[in-house]
Amino acid sequence: MTPVLETGVPALDTALVWGGVITLLAGAGTAAWRVARTGVRLGRRVDQFMDDWYGEEARPGVPGRPGVMERMGGIEDRIGRVEHELYPNSGGSLRDAVDQANERLARLCPDEPGEEDCPPPTASAGQ
């Protein structure tokens, strides 16, 4: 059996017991409030993430936002168009134009030893 600590003054003992009870209840209430506040903050962040992931419909005064998967599809389309320009194909890509320009330049200025520098361009070449 544990000894009970008493001051010998009943009113003081009662005040100390109630003070301890109030302190314990306040501590438990504070801990519960902090857990609830953290849960609400986490819930808000999850809600924001889900809005970003799935997108939002347009509403009065606020434009709609596409979701992540829709944005990824747009990025893949753009990358496909860029890749189309980087490799030779039917003659319409940027790579085909560069290759054609290099061929024309090679015909004008062959890179053989002993050759003189390229002839100066004529007036009609720039037009």
Side-chain angles (χ1 to χ4, degrees), residues 16-32:
L16 289 174
V17 167
W18 280 107
V21 168
I22 290 171
T23 301
L24 288 174
L25 290 175
T30 301

Side-chain angles (χ1 to χ4, degrees), residues 87-125:
Y87 299 102
N89 53 28
S90 60
S93 70
L94 180 62
R95 175 63 186 260
D96 291 327
V98 169
D99 289 345
Q100 185 181 27
N102 283 338
E103 288 173 16
R104 289 178 179 171
L105 183 61
R107 280 186 264 150
L108 287 174
C109 302
D111 286 338
E112 295 186 22
E115 292 283 330
E116 294 183 15
D117 289 337
C118 291
T122 60
S124 62

Side-chain angles (χ1 to χ4, degrees), residues 47-119:
D47 189 42
Q48 288 174 351
F49 173 79
M50 296 307 275
D51 287 344
D52 289 342
W53 186 262
Y54 290 110
E56 290 185 345
E57 296 292 324
R59 55 185 195 268
V62 179
R65 291 187 304 150
V68 171
M69 300 313 263
E70 189 175 343
R71 291 167 141 181
M72 291 277 282
I75 290 169
E76 288 174 351
D77 289 343
R78 278 189 262 161
I79 288 175
R81 289 193 305 264
V82 169
E83 285 180 344
H84 175 76
E85 296 296 324
L86 295 178
Y87 299 102
N89 53 28
S90 60
S93 70
L94 180 62
R95 175 63 186 260
D96 291 327
V98 169
D99 289 345
Q100 185 181 27
N102 283 338
E103 288 173 16
R104 289 178 179 171
L105 183 61
R107 280 186 264 150
L108 287 174
C109 302
D111 286 338
E112 295 186 22
E115 292 283 330
E116 294 183 15
D117 289 337
C118 291

